[in-house]
Amino acid sequence: MKWTPQMVVITGTVAYVIVSVFVVLGAVDPMNTFVYEWLQPLPDRVFAYVTELGSAQVIVGLSILGLLFWYWRGDGIEAWRLALVGIGTLLFTQVLKLVYGIDRPLIDASLDATTYSFPSGHASGSLALYGLTAYVLYRKKQSKVVIFILLCLVLAVSLSRVILNVHYFSDVLGGWLVALTMIALSEWIIRRKTI
């Protein structure tokens, strides 16, 4: 079966709703504890720097730089898509945080951890920016090494939130699903306009 953007939007939305129900019911606690304990041997001092690559300031700044880069390459569609998906995902994630109002495991202003917990803005923002960039480069048959690095960056930034104990792993899953759905929605819109 070949996945279409529409199928990813629907599947991502349904998966997000399921995860959020489990989060609200507290049924994700065993998973969160398991992942947190599994990641604890990793050096949190290193990940305190890695996590900054998913901060709102970095995501917005790089989204704007990406917009300029794609314009310079002559691709206005990808230019605007990167900016809108990157910044739009961050804003939508903040709205969802207010809707759920779930507390974090730890509040730490130095780690951009002062808002509610679910879903993770660092996870959604990093996938929206770095993941979308990797997807576009893959589609354009660009460097596989750069694509791999971008995907590793998404993983490192997202898991840094768990390692630093400012998010639960379920928050990261929620953030990934938000970003994945936004990327797929943007692909769906672009394909409809270019048909």
Side-chain angles (χ1 to χ4, degrees):
M1 175 177 72
K2 185 178 179 183
W3 283 86
T4 64
Q6 298 94 314
M7 290 170 64
V8 176
V9 168
I10 293 166
T11 305
T13 302
V14 170
Y16 178 82
V17 169
I18 292 169
V19 169
S20 66
V21 167
F22 278 99
V23 167
V24 169
L25 294 176
V28 291
D29 294 345
M31 174 190 68
N32 288 335
T33 301
F34 172 79
V35 174
Y36 176 73
E37 290 175 354
W38 184 65
L39 293 173
Q40 272 315 287
L42 296 172
D44 58 353
R45 188 171 297 167
V46 172
F47 284 94
Y49 293 105
V50 171
T51 203
E52 289 305 313
L53 296 172
S55 68
Q57 299 90 329
V58 171
I59 297 298
V60 170
L62 290 178
S63 293
I64 293 168
L65 283 176
L67 182 146
L68 297 173
F69 171 78
W70 287 115
Y71 256 121
W72 175 71
R73 293 282 303 262
D75 196 337
I77 291 176
E78 293 302 345
W80 282 108
R81 173 161 62 161
L82 185 66
L84 291 173
V85 170
I87 297 169
T89 298
L90 285 179
L91 293 174
F92 187 54
T93 302
Q94 293 307 312
V95 171
L96 289 171
K97 284 175 182 281
L98 294 173
V99 169
Y100 292 96
I102 294 171
D103 292 327
R104 292 174 178 271
L106 175 70
I107 301 291
D108 189 338
S110 69
L111 297 172
D112 295 326
T114 56
T115 59
Y116 288 117
S117 193
F118 180 81
S120 166
H122 279 65
S124 66
S126 63
L127 181 56
L129 177 67
Y130 307 125
L132 176 56
T133 303
Y135 171 71
V136 171
L137 293 176
Y138 171 79
R139 225 183 56 236
K140 294 179 181 289
K141 299 184 178 4
Q142 299 294 315
S143 169
K144 290 181 181 175
V145 173
V146 173
I147 293 167
F148 178 75
I149 290 169
L150 288 168
L151 294 177
C152 286
L153 199 53
V154 172
L155 194 62
V157 169
S158 299
L159 294 182
S160 74
R161 306 308 280 171
V162 179
I163 294 165
L164 297 168
N165 198 31
V166 292
H167 270 296
Y168 302 106
F169 182 65
S170 54
D171 302 335
V172 170
L173 283 180
W176 283 344
L177 289 169
V178 169
L180 179 66
T181 304
M182 295 287 275
I183 291 169
L185 182 61
S186 72
E187 183 70 11
W188 186 2
I189 293 168
I190 288 170
R191 288 189 188 185
R192 287 190 64 181
K193 289 194 177 294
T194 55
I195 289 176

